[in-house]
């Protein structure tokens, strides 16, 4: 029941409405009583005047008692109605407290990514899918500095990244300055990439004559996963010091004992479980230093005899063998935090559409298997498209278009960058490649590039 102070706050209009209701009820009651008296009087005539008088007196007493009862009921009813009005008014005046939804880091990252893509021109979107050498970008024979030529090239072609080799690296200060200038000239965040696998494929280590790390094979033979972490932590720290943020490593290929193996000592070995452990630790060693790890060469090049740098190569392993052995280290690497997977140029008829399509151009391998069956949502990048296994059979534009249609997100080192870029751009303009397909790939790329910014 409402207290007096609350009831006093009831508006005059509401009080008048209550009184009007009460008067109507009283009139109805009066009419009922009158009818009772008339009927009683008419009936009492049969018994004489005394009986009628007695009835009138009793009716009067009953009427008064009934009036008191009605008055009490009205008071209680009025109080209840007043309380109901007060409650209703209070409910109307109280605004519901809005639910506070805390924005997660992933939500913020997605906002940043989508905002960046929305502001990009189609030309910049397409260029952002390529990682090229500084020579491929600028057209010079050998690039050892980044000056006006690099600046002009990046203004025209907003590539997604630049990859450096030993020929680009002369000294500590030289490579630091070259990288820093290149980054400063770009409109968008760049991947600054290198092949630093440990062992003989280590561009920075070789060029700067840094202390050598053991080969992956030697690390694997020791069977101590911590050794892989230590080696790649050293590599990661070195790369970060010189301004690199992407390493095309570690190699996740499992050597097949029946093959000579073009991969050789770049692999951690022939035991899939050991290789998986090593890849896990290598990925974590790199990422602990802020370096994006790119595991390679999916779906597993360890049983391939030929070198894809020199021509077509193939594996005849069954789909079951590939999935139960060769692919296991890739799954381990992804689970360890590898945000990029490089797909090899060798053919694998048991997994691809046919016996002639390289895995790097295969929808069955990249989209159906890696994305679909294994649920991978990171960046898929081709191996270098200037390798003979591709360049001997496909034009630069044809290879790039095929790779994107098959499910690749990024194109690495096409044989001729401008031809490949213009080919992809025209394919998007004429509808051969959906622009949303380009946006989806860019979103995966920019989730990597902006993640550290958002998290920090």
């Amino acid at each position: 029941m409402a207290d007096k102070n609350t009831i006093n706050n009831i508006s005059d209009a509401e009080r008048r409405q209550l009184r009007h209701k009460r008067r109507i009820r009283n009139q109805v009651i009066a009419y009922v009583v009158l009818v009772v008296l008339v009927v009683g009087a008419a009936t009492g005539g049969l018994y004489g005047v005394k009986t009628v008088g007695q009835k009138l007196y009793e009716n009067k007493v009953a009427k008064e008692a009934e009036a008191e009862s009605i008055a009490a009921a009205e008071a209680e009813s009025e109080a209840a109605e007043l309380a109901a009005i007060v409650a209703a008014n209070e409910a109307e005046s109280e605004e519901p407290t809005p639910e506070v939804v805390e924005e997660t880091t992933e939500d913020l990252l997605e906002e940043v990514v989508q905002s960046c893509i929305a502001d990009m021109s189609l030309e910049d979107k397409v260029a952002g899918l390529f990682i090229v050498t500084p020579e491929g970008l600028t057209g010079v024979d050998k690039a050892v500095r980044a000056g006006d030529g690099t600046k002009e090239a990046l203004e025209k072609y907003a590539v997604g990244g630049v990859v450096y080799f030993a020929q680009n690296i002369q000294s500590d200060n030289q490579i630091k300055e070259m990288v820093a200038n290149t980054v400063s000239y770009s409109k968008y965040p760049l991947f600054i990439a290198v092949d630093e696998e440990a062992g003989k494929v280590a561009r920075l280590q070789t060029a700067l004559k840094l202390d050598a790390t053991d080969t992956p094979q030697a690390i694997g033979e020791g069977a101590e996963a911590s050794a892989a972490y230590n080696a790649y932590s050293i590599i990661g720290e070195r790369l970060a010091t010189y301004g690199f943020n992407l390493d095309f490593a570690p190699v996740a290929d499992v050597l097949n004992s029946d093959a000579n193996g073009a991969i050789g000592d770049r692999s951690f070995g022939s035991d899939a479980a050991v290789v998986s452990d090593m890849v896990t630790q290598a990925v974590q060693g790199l990422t602990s230093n802020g370096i994006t790890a790119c595991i390679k060469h999916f779906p597993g090049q360890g049983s391939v005899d030929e070198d894809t740098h020199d021509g077509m190569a193939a594996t005849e392993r069954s789909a079951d063998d590939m999935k139960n052995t060769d692919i296991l280290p890739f799954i381990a690497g992804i689970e360890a935090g590898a945000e990029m997977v490089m797909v090899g140029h060798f053919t694998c008829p048991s997994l691809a559409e046919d016996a002639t399509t390289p895995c790097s151009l295969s929808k069955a391998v990249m989209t159906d298997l890696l994305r679909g069956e294994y649920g991978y949502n990171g960046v898929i990048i081709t191996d270098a498209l200037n390798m003979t296994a591709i360049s001997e059979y496909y034009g630069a534009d044809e290879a790039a278009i095929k790779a994107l249609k098959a499910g690749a997100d990024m194109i690495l080192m096409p044989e001729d960058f401008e031809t490949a870029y213009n080919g992809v751009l025209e394919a998007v303009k004429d509808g051969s490649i959906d622009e949303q397909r380009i946006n989806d790939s860019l979103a995966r790329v920019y989730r990597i590039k902006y993640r550290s910014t958002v998290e920090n």
Side-chain angles (χ1 to χ4, degrees):
M1 183 175 292
D3 58 32
K4 290 182 179 181
N5 291 332
T6 304
I7 291 173
N8 288 337
N9 291 328
I10 299 300
S11 67
D12 291 338
E14 291 168 335
R15 289 182 180 279
R16 286 195 297 272
Q17 186 178 10
L18 288 172
R19 293 192 189 101
H20 176 68
K21 291 179 179 179
R22 189 164 60 252
R23 282 198 300 271
I24 292 174
R25 285 199 298 270
N26 289 343
Q27 289 173 358
V28 172
I29 292 169
Y31 289 139
V32 171
V33 172
L34 178 60
V35 170
V36 171
L37 289 175
V38 171
V39 172
T43 305
L46 299 175
Y47 298 99
V49 177
K50 182 178 180 180
T51 304
V52 172
Q54 179 65 31
K55 290 292 184 182
L56 287 173
Y57 176 78
E58 292 174 358
N59 286 339
K60 180 180 178 182
V61 173
K63 178 183 175 183
E64 290 175 349
E66 186 175 7
E68 291 177 357
S69 175
I70 290 171
E74 285 180 353
E76 184 176 351
S77 175
E78 181 177 355
E81 290 181 13
L82 288 172
I85 293 172
V86 170
N89 289 343
E90 290 177 347
E92 290 176 1
S93 65
E94 290 180 2
E95 296 182 0
T97 303
E99 183 180 355
V100 178
V101 179
E102 186 175 348
E103 189 173 45
T104 66
T105 300
E106 290 301 315
D107 292 335
L108 180 57
L109 175 61
E110 199 61 25
E111 288 179 16
V112 172
V113 167
Q114 295 303 328
S115 176
C116 180
I117 294 173
D119 291 338
M120 296 175 72
S121 66
L122 178 59
E123 289 75 12
D124 286 354
K125 288 179 180 180
V126 170
L129 302 183
F130 288 86
I131 294 181
V132 298
T133 63
E135 292 82 6
L137 177 66
T138 61
V140 302
D141 292 333
K142 179 180 178 181
V144 293
R145 62 183 295 271
D148 291 340
T150 302
K151 184 176 181 180
E152 291 172 5
L154 284 172
E155 288 174 352
K156 184 177 182 180
Y157 302 113
V159 295
V162 179
V163 56
Y164 297 85
F165 287 81
Q167 70 174 19
N168 307 121
I169 305 169
Q170 295 181 325
S171 69
D172 284 21
N173 292 335
Q174 170 267 333
I175 188 59
K176 287 179 181 178
E177 181 180 354
M178 186 178 185
V179 167
N181 286 348
T182 301
V183 170
S184 70
Y185 297 148
S186 179
K187 293 184 285 186
Y188 309 102
L190 282 173
F191 281 131
I192 301 297
V194 68
D195 286 299
E196 202 77 10
E197 299 175 2
K200 65 184 180 183
V201 181
R203 317 302 184 188
L204 198 68
Q205 173 187 293
T206 300
L208 297 181
K209 296 180 173 56
L210 303 175
D211 291 340
T213 55
D214 286 338
T215 65
Q217 182 182 53
I219 294 172
E221 287 174 349
E224 291 291 336
S226 59
Y229 179 88
N230 293 336
Y232 283 84
S233 181
I234 291 172
I235 291 171
E237 185 176 3
R238 284 176 178 173
L239 296 184
T241 298
Y242 291 97
F244 293 88
N245 55 27
L246 171 60
D247 189 6
F248 291 130
V251 170
D253 301 321
V254 179
L255 286 180
N256 185 331
S257 59
D258 295 332
N260 294 324
I263 294 298
D265 63 4
R266 297 166 65 193
S267 167
F268 288 109
S270 58
D271 185 319
V274 170
V275 176
S276 295
D277 289 342
M278 298 298 168
V279 169
T280 294
Q281 293 299 316
V283 167
Q284 292 176 349
L286 290 172
T287 56
S288 67
N289 287 280
I291 305 300
T292 296
C294 176
I295 51 180
K296 59 188 184 184
H297 309 80
F298 188 84
Q301 197 167 329
S303 62
V304 177
D305 289 331
E306 302 84 2
D307 190 335
T308 52
H309 288 84
D310 302 326
M312 186 69 76
T315 177
E316 298 300 327
R317 285 170 67 77
S318 70
D320 285 343
D321 285 341
M322 294 297 292
K323 292 179 180 181
N324 295 331
T325 301
D326 299 76
I327 292 178
L328 295 182
F330 290 92
I331 302 308
I334 291 169
E335 292 176 348
E339 295 184 286
M340 189 177 291
V341 173
M342 180 183 289
V343 181
H345 295 321
F346 58 97
T347 62
C348 182
S350 65
L351 296 179
E353 296 87 342
D354 50 53
T356 61
T357 300
C359 292
S360 57
L361 307 183
S362 169
K363 179 178 180 294
V365 170
M366 291 190 284
T367 298
D368 299 341
L369 183 65
L370 185 52
R371 288 248 188 266
E373 186 169 337
Y374 292 109
Y376 177 63
N377 197 38
V379 171
I380 296 176
I381 187 170
T382 68
D383 203 344
L385 290 185
N386 63 359
M387 292 164 65
T388 306
I390 298 297
S391 62
E392 189 173 314
Y393 303 94
Y394 305 92
D397 51 351
E398 181 186 13
I401 291 169
K402 282 182 173 293
L404 291 173
K405 284 185 174 182
D409 296 304
M410 300 199 81
I411 304 300
L412 177 61
M413 295 167 53
E415 183 182 23
D416 183 298
F417 165 61
E418 289 191 14
T419 298
Y421 163 80
N422 287 321
V424 173
L425 181 60
E426 186 58 34
V428 178
K429 288 181 176 179
D430 69 20
S432 299
I433 298 177
D434 189 351
E435 185 173 351
Q436 186 57 50
R437 170 71 184 78
I438 302 300
N439 292 345
D440 291 342
S441 288
L442 280 173
R444 295 187 184 98
V445 169
Y446 278 103
R447 286 184 194 116
I448 297 176
K449 291 182 175 182
Y450 281 113
R451 184 176 298 282
S452 61
T453 302
V454 170
E455 291 178 344
N456 294 333

